[in-house]
Amino acid sequence: HFMRWQQVLLCYKKILQASRPVSNDSDNKYLKDWAREEFKRNKSATEEDTIRMMITQGNMQLKELEKTLALAKS
């Protein structure tokens, strides 16, 4: 469980870090609130397969966020 917990925290931290460059305060707040709510909503999950799937989904959403922000910069 400890390793999964570390993976979850790392994913959350990366999502928050990815949102930092967003200069618009309301967009930045939206991204942080979205991440916080998603992780909070799923914090009671205990089944290994479910947690693994959510970590995978979180990492995919992180990649999409990074792509979107990179496109917005160009």
Side-chain angles (χ1 to χ4, degrees), residues 5-67:
W5 180 247
Q6 283 184 319
Q7 288 177 314
V8 169
L9 287 178
L10 182 62
C11 182
Y12 180 68
K13 186 177 178 179
K14 285 181 178 180
I15 290 172
L16 292 180
Q17 286 174 343
S19 69
R20 279 189 191 147
V22 176
S23 59
N24 183 309
D25 288 340
S26 65
D27 289 345
N28 191 296
K29 182 179 178 347
Y30 171 80
L31 289 171
K32 287 180 181 179
D33 289 347
W34 164 77
R36 190 176 295 115
E37 288 303 313
E38 284 296 310
F39 281 83
K40 193 184 289 187
R41 183 169 53 93
N42 294 306
K43 75 177 184 177
S44 62
T46 57
E47 198 170 310
E48 273 301 302
D49 290 338
T50 303
I51 295 169
R52 224 181 351 260
M53 179 191 71
M54 286 189 286
I55 291 169
T56 300
Q57 286 177 337
N59 285 322
M60 288 184 339
Q61 289 177 335
L62 170 61
K63 287 178 185 174
E64 283 299 314
L65 175 61
E66 291 170 336
K67 286 180 191 176

